[in-house]
Amino acid sequence: MTSTQARPDLLADRFAPRYDVLQARHLLVEAPVERTYSALRSLDFTEIGGGLVNLAFWARGLPERWKNRHHRMPRVPTRLTFDDLVTGSEWAILGERPGSEIVLGVAGQFWKPVVVWRRVEPDRFIDFAEPGFGKIVLSLSAAPYGGTHTLLTYDARVILGDGWSRAKFWVYWTTVSPFIRAIQTATLRTIARHAEAAEPKA
């Protein structure tokens, strides 16, 4: 979906009501929504993997590794939750509906070989429109599906504020969109695996 307006029923719509790109993936989880959201909220991003996903992360990090080849690279984290991510990077939690949806956002020039990131706090995120920068909004949500299942959704949106950024981004997106889909799918499967394996509460 491109250059359109989103439905007004997701928290993500508050921060990205209009967007240039929306890519969403869904997964039906064999667990109730409470367990699924608990698994979502405690997600450890270091567990997300798979052939295409590992290749994507490795390839995306090549330019930065080359740039810093004469310097010691930062230690790779052994655990990375939502809270770890926003503490140690430019990402911010824009909002959360506990038990239903969490939304993260960041600004940057993510089409560059070495990405330039910019942290934007939630109260400034909607109005942020610095030329040469785009914004990413990520939403992970869980909705009841019948009495015992959950529809898990990973919604990724990109907002580009000027023609130059839009042109640069589309060249980049043509290459990376299949890898982004793979990462989204792997993320949903990781959450589902933990939700389905969790013991039901007595």
Side-chain angles (χ1 to χ4, degrees), residues 143-156:
Y145 191 89
T148 59
H149 289 63
T150 300
L151 183 64
L152 189 60
T153 298
Y154 190 149
D155 175 319

Side-chain angles (χ1 to χ4, degrees), residues 108-160:
Q109 297 171 326
F110 23 85
W111 49 86
K112 289 188 172 183
V114 178
V115 179
V116 177
W117 296 110
R118 175 78 59 83
R119 186 181 183 93
V120 182
E121 298 303 329
D123 60 346
R124 296 181 51 242
F125 194 88
I126 296 172
D127 295 329
F128 179 87
E130 184 172 328
F133 281 80
K135 296 185 289 187
I136 299 174
V137 173
L138 300 183
S139 164
L140 281 159
S141 62
Y145 191 89
T148 59
H149 289 63
T150 300
L151 183 64
L152 189 60
T153 298
Y154 190 149
D155 175 319
R157 308 180 188 195
V158 179
I159 307 101
L160 302 157

